[in-house]
Amino acid sequence: MERVPVLKIGDILLVSIQIDMEDQVALQLQEDLADRIVATGCHGVIIDISALDIVDSFVGRTLATIASVSRVLDAETVVVGMRPAVAITLVELGLSLPGIQTALNVELGIEMLARDRDFELPLDEDDAGEAVVSTP
């Protein structure tokens, strides 16, 4: 099973989904992110979905669950890079994605999180590129 890498950048965890989001991958990402939030103490999560052509109802609900879990763990979630067709599909499915903020791209997502909370940015060398590629 493929896994989605989770990068730590300052006080933010960055997830860029570049693979098809099958149900098991989405569930594993949810678990990996919760573990990384606890392990790092990060207060922000950015999920880049710009490479996704389709987001089905399960993945949409999983994104909402990730945001809820993150909030309980004291981290805000921003989904970035949503394509218009994906947004239309989510609205047609009736998914409102409660608790998820959205931004057009990663840069605007970082600005949104920095504005909402006092994040430690830019990076220092210890945090740059620290990645957890969750592979079995």
Side-chain angles (χ1 to χ4, degrees):
M1 175 178 65
E2 292 186 80
R3 296 174 98 162
V4 179
V6 179
L7 304 173
K8 181 180 181 296
I9 302 173
D11 201 22
I12 294 173
L13 296 177
L14 174 62
V15 176
S16 182
I17 301 171
Q18 301 293 317
I19 59 175
D20 288 335
M21 282 297 282
E22 297 174 5
D23 294 355
Q24 286 301 318
V25 173
L27 291 172
Q28 187 63 54
L29 174 60
Q30 178 181 311
E31 186 175 320
D32 290 346
L33 265 175
D35 290 343
R36 289 288 289 167
I37 291 168
V38 170
T40 63
C42 285
H43 296 291
V45 175
I46 294 178
I47 302 174
D48 178 13
I49 63 169
S50 60
L52 298 181
D53 293 324
I54 298 171
V55 173
D56 64 17
S57 61
F58 183 82
V59 171
R61 283 193 309 271
T62 303
L63 290 173
T65 301
I66 287 171
S68 296
V69 169
S70 298
R71 194 173 328 104
V72 169
L73 296 173
D74 196 27
E76 296 299 320
T77 301
V78 179
V79 173
V80 302
M82 187 178 301
R83 294 179 179 197
V86 170
I88 291 168
T89 301
L90 290 175
V91 170
E92 287 176 349
L93 291 172
L95 295 174
S96 61
L97 303 179
I100 294 181
Q101 301 179 70
T102 58
L104 291 178
N105 55 46
V106 172
E107 183 177 6
L108 293 174
I110 290 171
E111 288 177 13
M112 182 181 289
L113 288 171
R115 185 177 52 236
D116 293 346
R117 301 181 78 150
D118 188 24
F119 284 108
E120 294 178 19
L121 292 174
L123 313 171
D124 61 25
E125 289 184 15
D126 293 336
D127 290 337
E130 178 185 332
V132 171
V133 179
S134 302
T135 55

